[in-house]
Amino acid sequence: MIHDFGIVWSERNLLLSGLGNTTILSVLSAAAALLIAFVLTPALMSKQQWLAGIVRGFVDGMRCVPFLLFAYIVYYGLPSVGLRLDNWTSGLVALTIYNAAYMAEILRGAWAAQPREPIEAGIAFGFSNLGLFRRIVLPPLLLAAGPVIGNQMIQIIKDSAFLTIIALPELTHAASSIQSRHYVPFAAFITAVFLYWGLCLVIEAGVSSIDRLAMARR
Amino acid sequence: MADGSKVLDVAGVSKRFGDLEVLSDISFQVAKGETVCVLGPSGSGKSTLLRCINWLERPDAGQIYLTGTEIGVTGAGIVMSDRELSRLRTRIGMVFQHFALWPHLTVLQNLMEAPIQVQKRPSAEVRDEALALLAKVGLSDKRDAFPAKLSGGQKQRVGIARALAMRPDLLLFDEPTSALDPELVGEVLVVMRELAHEGMTMVVVTHEMGFARDAATRILFLDRGRVVETAPPERFFSAPETERARQFIQRYAGHVANGGCRT
Ligand SMILES: Nc1ncnc2c1ncn2[C@@H]1O[C@H](COP(=O)(O)OP(=O)(O)OP(=O)(O)O)[C@@H](O)[C@H]1O
Ligand SMILES: [Mg+2]
């Protein structure tokens, strides 16, 4: 058994590059999903019924699709309508769009729970449109939603493992190539599990520092 | 027509929510340095009137002029862009019943936020002025505290300082002491009296009859969305013209005679 872990250790570069790719995929798609959510959320809460309805349909629909299936559609399905993306682009696009729906719903919930008066004060003091959103609405929203967004980040990291099926060289992919090369499934997969866990601990640390900021303001 | 010598000129403003006519044909003017107290029973439209003045609610009819400039509508008679409306709003300070401070910013940052971000004034100048305002409301030691850590009275004094930091031509107060514990009302009224004394132009919705009696230059009595009576405080409290005002004073101001001012 020790010997098996020795084999995994000898392949550490492969694992580390897998970990690196998982991190890059997760961070990029989480950031992009959040940015898209900043647009979707105001639309969800819009007084324009048709706009709110369309976005609501997208958000609810997306949240009912298994991620694996969605990744299949983006990578294998889109080429049949003439849109061919390489595996990195497909992976990023799938993770981003899928999670934008979740992020939008998270922000909407936090927004609805915010008191109205400070936002009114923002309007009364001359903020409007983007300035109002960026300076007055968003900061308390992010502080309030920080822990839930952190949870979603963890979900994104775990979902990214599915991208091994489109041959994206992320952590699960690296672990499974090590096991198939050397027949050390337990050692290879357990090592990957611990690396995922480490990544989640980093996220947790980030969440608790946001939480400290929020606590100081509560 | 707009009277440029007045800071505020409200001309025939009406507002309805669905079937409910909340304001009907309200007209009044406020001259520079005046403190007008708006009194009236709950639901008479006082908050709605204040919110119409800076177009947080859009009036259905009538005009509102700030030092001669019409709010909400351009010279050509079309509704203003958000940008134009925002620029006019920066000249009207507002103090809210529940303080409405920005929770993610410290006290000092609350004061500096709009002058820097909206008015684009230089931050060093804004900071100096904000520090002076905090000293004025007696909160210099709280400048780095977050609003959540303050008492209600302190929050409202920050709210007033935040409004003053905009160097407004006009200050609107919507029941600034109604959400406070009785023992904290005084510290806020002290600041408001001082402002009135210094010649700040203010429209104050309040149930503090003591304040209205001795700080107001004029009382505007609202009932069911109409200005029922307008008079200097001495005359309003001692010889109200209408039965509605008489009843109202009896209900709310009975305490004044005993020296208290809470309802
Ligand atoms: N956004 C709104 N939609 C529908 N009705 C409203 C709205 N805002 C106010 N009203 C109604 O308009 C009437 C006047 O409300 P307003 O808040 O202006 O009264 P007020 O004089 O400030 O009362 P209070 O002393 O209780 O604060 C009330 O009947 C209220 O229910
Ligand atoms: Mg009110």
Side-chain angles (χ1 to χ4, degrees), chain A residues 65-80 83 85 87 90-91 93-95 98 159 161-167:
Chain A
V65 180
F67 177 69
L68 183 56
L69 199 56
F70 185 62
Y72 274 138
I73 291 172
V74 172
Y75 188 64
Y76 295 113
L78 286 187
S80 56
L83 192 61
L85 306 171
N87 56 351
S90 301
V93 164
L95 269 182
Y98 190 74
D159 279 350
F162 283 120
L163 297 175
T164 187
I165 55 114
I166 59 172

Side-chain angles (χ1 to χ4, degrees), chain B residues 52-246:
Chain B
C52 279
I53 290 175
N54 62 4
W55 266 57
L56 284 180
E57 292 299 348
R58 183 178 162 177
D60 296 330
Q63 292 82 40
I64 293 153
Y65 300 92
L66 181 69
T67 59
T69 310
E70 184 166 3
I71 297 180
V73 180
T74 63
I78 46 177
V79 173
M80 278 183 172
S81 67
D82 284 346
R83 172 186 282 270
E84 287 171 292
L85 193 52
S86 295
R87 217 184 44 235
L88 276 173
R89 282 184 179 136
T90 62
R91 295 171 47 198
I92 306 174
M94 195 162 198
V95 177
F96 296 79
Q97 181 171 1
H98 298 104
F99 327 119
L101 300 176
W102 296 310
H104 57 292
L105 300 177
T106 64
V107 164
L108 184 60
Q109 288 167 340
N110 261 277
L111 266 64
M112 295 171 60
E113 180 70 2
I116 291 177
Q117 298 296 330
V118 181
Q119 293 178 319
K120 310 283 184 207
R121 281 159 49 195
S123 58
E125 166 202 301
V126 169
R127 189 186 158 83
D128 289 346
E129 223 169 283
L131 288 172
L133 284 168
L134 282 181
K136 182 186 173 96
V137 298
L139 288 174
S140 294
D141 55 328
K142 295 291 182 193
R143 57 183 244 192
D144 295 321
F146 287 103
K149 310 291 179 197
L150 303 180
S151 73
Q154 292 170 333
K155 282 182 196 167
Q156 197 56 297
R157 284 184 280 152
V158 173
I160 295 171
R162 175 178 69 170
L164 290 172
M166 304 285 285
R167 297 178 175 166
D169 295 326
L170 172 69
L171 268 188
L172 306 176
F173 293 79
D174 191 359
E175 299 197 32
T177 56
S178 297
L180 299 180
D181 291 337
E183 70 272 19
L184 300 179
V185 169
E187 62 189 67
V188 172
L189 291 183
V190 164
V191 173
M192 291 171 60
R193 281 202 171 87
E194 196 178 318
L195 289 176
H197 189 70
E198 286 168 5
M200 185 73 215
T201 311
M202 315 199 283
V203 176
V204 183
V205 171
T206 184
H207 288 298
E208 296 295 335
M209 295 306 140
F211 176 83
R213 182 180 287 235
D214 53 48
T217 49
R218 203 148 41 92
I219 304 289
L220 207 68
F221 179 64
L222 236 60
D223 188 34
R224 294 189 205 125
R226 294 177 187 280
V227 178
V228 175
E229 213 167 314
T230 168
E234 314 80 63
R235 200 169 84 218
F236 179 79
F237 285 108
S238 61
E241 282 163 17
T242 59
E243 186 51 34
R244 288 294 298 163
R246 215 184 328 274

